[in-house]
Amino acid sequence: MDVTADHPRDRGPAPDPLAVGLANASLLGVGYLLLGRRRLAVGGTVVTVLLFVLLTTALSATWGQLLVLGWWLALVGHGWRLARTRRAREHVPAAPGSVANGPAAAGAAGDGSVGAGPAAVGSVGDEPAGDGSTAPGSVGAGAGAPGRGRLAGVGWQRGLALGVAGPVVLSFLALWLNAGSIDERATRAHRDGDCAAALAAWDGLWFGHRLADAARLAGADEQAAACELLLAAEAQARPADEAGRLRAAETLVAYAAHPGARWAGADDRRAELFLAQATADLDAGLTGDAGALADGFDRLAVVREEFADRRAEADEVVAGFLDGLPTGDACVTQRITDWLAGRSADDAGLALAVAVVPEVAPAALVGCGDALLTSEDWAGAEERYERLLAEYPDHELTGQAEDGVERAATEIELARVRELLADSGGAPEYCDSPAPYRGAAPYRGAGPHPALLFGGGGGDGEVDTDHSGDLPGSWLTDDPAEAVLVVCAGEVTMGDTVATCQYEADVPFGYADVAFRAQEVPIRAYELRTGELVSDTSLRIDGASCPDVLTYETYLDVDIPPSEVYVESSEADVRAAYQPLLNP
């Protein structure tokens, strides 16, 4: 009887599980297309695209790659299983009336079908004919020997799958290897501290590399971020100023803490920046800038604390600073030694510097005192000399310091005297508050003793009370530095009567008596050297009396002379009055 061939096997060769799995290895759902499962193909491709987007944007590299790998294995396994399941369904036992396979079908079948023995095992409608089409009613070949049509179908499927998956897998592998090579080269440059070369290498990476090896390139991104910090630190340090170096040091701290840091020299570079800044600070400190000194030694303290292997270099910086002492300016040197003396010698970074203070400070104090004397800063000079005597009493410069104290004190006293003698429109303040000037000559022995003469006035306008014009120039001076005495004169008043004479007058008897009286000048004389009062008396200035004609002023045309007038004192009379005081 005829054998029908309406079984699904008659539609063509069944999908090969290996071909389907291999085609799905392309991640493009090609294996599903071989199965005729277009929806699965489209869905699988969409999921693949989403995974790649997430891999390069949101997912962590490691988990993203594991997810993609899992998806790849799932596609391969799922395609293989679907194909295997379908193939198993299509290989069902032969329908009634067909020629059975194998020994169990030997002999005549109950429905009249013809059985075949082991030597002629075959199937009806089971294999394609020689031209690849299925021949119903034909007797197949022996057991397990597929027809050429099936071989051609399987070979075509596998070739197609390999043609699709091969380029994808090979491209992926090439990109993976290339990404590794680029990253390795860049990492090597990064470890050598050449971040410019490293970033240039990483710039050669593109999206395909990131798809191929997202995990590795996530690390590359971290390294690139760290390299940006390293390049920023070098750019900040380039101006070679304090702000730049300190910013660079802070940036290097951030670099060292960054997970992408690979250069082992960051700490050394940071130490170099601190050493360079300390050197610059101490150089500025040699100008007497206490702030720069503090900053410089603070930088060295950081080096000593954080970079133990660079302590010798810190000592070299200190030694270079000490080589600059003493400076060309004694007062600058003195300020530096004062700052150092105020530091603790227990500080290892300052021990060397503090140790030189006793060697340098004494000469600096005396030299600065001398300089301040020259610039007329008497108090400052005195303070420096007195410090040397107090702090280094056994030093060889104590004699010079003592002389300096004397000179400074002398100038200070002279400045005070000048201040007290300043013109105030009347008697100077000195007359009420005298002060000593040790530089003045003593008031003793033969004169003349040059004096500063102040005061006078009075006399009712009838006499010249300014006696300075009548005294020899050697008796007076305008310079306190040359004076021996300060003479404070009071107002001139009438002293003793020298003579009484009669002059015509509009009075009874026609004459009136006129008394001629000496000038009386109250004075206080102070020895300038000690500021002590050496004379508190009144000077009597005599003069001529009873002239033939007496000149006076009258009122109401009544000719009545004054009852008393001053004598007519000559220059000799004034000198005679002042001589016992000024030129004994």
Side-chain angles (χ1 to χ4, degrees):
M1 63 180 292
D2 292 335
V3 180
T4 59
D6 56 356
H7 193 276
R9 286 172 296 177
D10 297 332
R11 301 170 191 168
D16 178 55
L18 178 60
V20 172
L22 185 60
N24 267 5
S26 67
L27 294 174
L28 300 176
V30 177
Y32 292 134
L33 291 176
L34 290 176
L35 290 169
R37 308 288 288 271
R38 292 184 181 137
R39 290 183 180 179
L40 282 178
V42 172
T45 302
V46 169
V47 172
T48 296
V49 172
L50 288 175
L51 282 177
F52 280 138
V53 170
L54 291 174
L55 176 63
T56 56
T57 57
L59 294 175
S60 70
T62 301
W63 285 107
Q65 276 201 314
L66 289 174
L67 191 58
V68 170
L69 178 60
W71 175 244
W72 183 78
L73 292 174
L75 285 177
V76 172
H78 186 241
W80 179 84
R81 182 171 180 179
L82 285 179
R84 184 177 176 82
T85 301
R86 177 169 171 179
R87 192 169 196 183
R89 283 202 310 268
E90 293 181 358
H91 280 69
V92 295
S98 64
V99 179
N101 294 323
D111 59 1
S113 61
V114 181
V121 177
S123 63
V124 178
D126 185 45
E127 300 294 344
D131 59 359
S133 61
T134 304
S138 63
V139 180
R148 284 178 298 167
R150 178 174 295 280
L151 286 174
V154 171
W156 177 84
Q157 291 177 40
R158 292 183 180 180
L160 176 63
L162 187 60
V164 173
V168 173
V169 173
L170 290 176
S171 296
F172 183 89
L173 180 61
L175 287 171
W176 183 80
L177 292 173
N178 187 238
S181 175
I182 291 174
D183 185 55
E184 189 173 320
R185 186 169 67 253
T187 300
R188 213 166 31 241
H190 184 185
R191 286 199 177 99
D192 292 340
D194 188 358
C195 269
L199 290 175
W202 281 315
D203 283 344
L205 297 171
W206 63 288
F207 182 73
H209 289 110
R210 298 188 178 278
L211 289 179
D213 199 351
R216 176 191 284 270
L217 297 189
D221 289 340
E222 284 189 339
Q223 286 197 60
C227 261
E228 294 289 354
L229 288 174
L230 197 55
L231 290 178
E234 290 306 315
Q236 290 163 348
R238 200 166 293 126
D241 58 16
E242 177 179 2
R245 291 191 185 104
L246 296 182
R247 281 199 303 271
E250 291 176 1
T251 304
L252 286 172
V253 171
Y255 169 81
H258 197 283
R262 296 293 183 274
W263 184 44
D267 283 345
D268 280 342
R269 179 60 178 139
R270 187 161 163 263
E272 288 171 5
L273 289 171
F274 278 118
L275 288 168
Q277 187 55 47
T279 300
D281 287 337
L282 294 185
D283 285 345
L286 288 173
T287 65
D289 186 341
L293 287 173
D295 288 343
F297 281 101
D298 284 347
R299 314 288 182 228
L300 294 179
V302 171
V303 173
R304 290 179 174 280
E305 181 178 347
E306 298 187 21
F307 312 100
D309 57 333
R310 308 297 288 269
R311 289 177 181 173
E313 293 174 65
D315 290 342
E316 290 176 6
V317 173
V318 174
F321 163 72
L322 296 178
D323 286 342
L325 296 177
T327 68
D329 186 325
C331 288
V332 168
T333 303
Q334 175 252 311
R335 288 200 298 273
I336 294 171
T337 55
D338 282 355
W339 186 89
L340 292 174
R343 310 281 82 76
S344 172
D346 294 335
D347 186 334
L350 284 165
L352 290 174
V354 173
V356 305
V357 171
E359 302 174 13
V360 178
L365 286 169
V366 172
C368 183
D370 293 343
L372 293 175
L373 274 183
T374 302
S375 63
E376 300 185 357
D377 181 357
W378 321 122
E382 182 181 43
E383 187 266 338
R384 267 56 170 198
Y385 294 131
E386 288 179 342
R387 278 189 50 196
L388 179 119
L389 296 174
E391 296 172 16
Y392 305 98
D394 299 324
H395 198 274
E396 60 184 10
L397 292 175
T398 53
Q400 188 173 338
E402 288 170 349
D403 291 342
V405 168
E406 183 64 23
R407 285 184 292 156
T410 299
E411 295 295 345
I412 290 171
E413 290 179 353
L414 178 58
R416 175 60 179 160
V417 167
R418 291 184 188 278
E419 182 182 349
L420 293 172
L421 292 174
D423 185 8
S424 59
E429 185 180 353
Y430 189 98
C431 292
D432 295 320
S433 301
Y437 166 50
R438 69 183 68 189
Y443 179 60
R444 68 170 68 96
H449 300 296
L452 294 161
L453 182 59
F454 298 96
D460 299 325
E462 297 179 14
V463 293
D464 182 8
T465 58
D466 181 7
H467 301 145
S468 59
D470 296 326
L471 299 176
S474 61
W475 291 14
L476 299 177
T477 182
D478 293 329
D479 186 358
E482 298 176 356
V484 174
L485 293 174
V486 176
V487 178
C488 301
E491 292 187 353
V492 175
T493 59
M494 288 187 174
D496 296 337
T497 299
V498 175
T500 301
C501 299
Q502 290 186 335
Y503 290 90
E504 293 180 352
D506 292 337
V507 295
F509 309 108
Y511 292 95
D513 290 336
V514 178
F516 288 86
R517 304 180 66 174
Q519 298 181 46
E520 187 168 325
V521 184
I523 63 163
R524 285 173 294 159
Y526 297 95
E527 182 186 36
L528 187 55
R529 182 179 182 85
T530 61
E532 294 179 355
L533 182 67
V534 294
S535 180
D536 185 5
T537 186
S538 293
L539 298 181
R540 172 176 170 165
I541 303 177
D542 290 323
S545 60
C546 301
D548 293 336
V549 177
L550 181 64
T551 302
Y552 55 90
E553 293 182 358
T554 63
Y555 300 94
L556 302 176
D557 294 329
V558 177
D559 187 10
I560 300 176
S563 61
E564 54 185 16
V565 295
Y566 285 102
V567 297
E568 188 71 27
S569 299
S570 66
E571 183 179 284
D573 292 327
V574 174
R575 290 184 180 184
Y578 279 93
Q579 184 169 1
L581 177 66
L582 303 180
N583 191 24

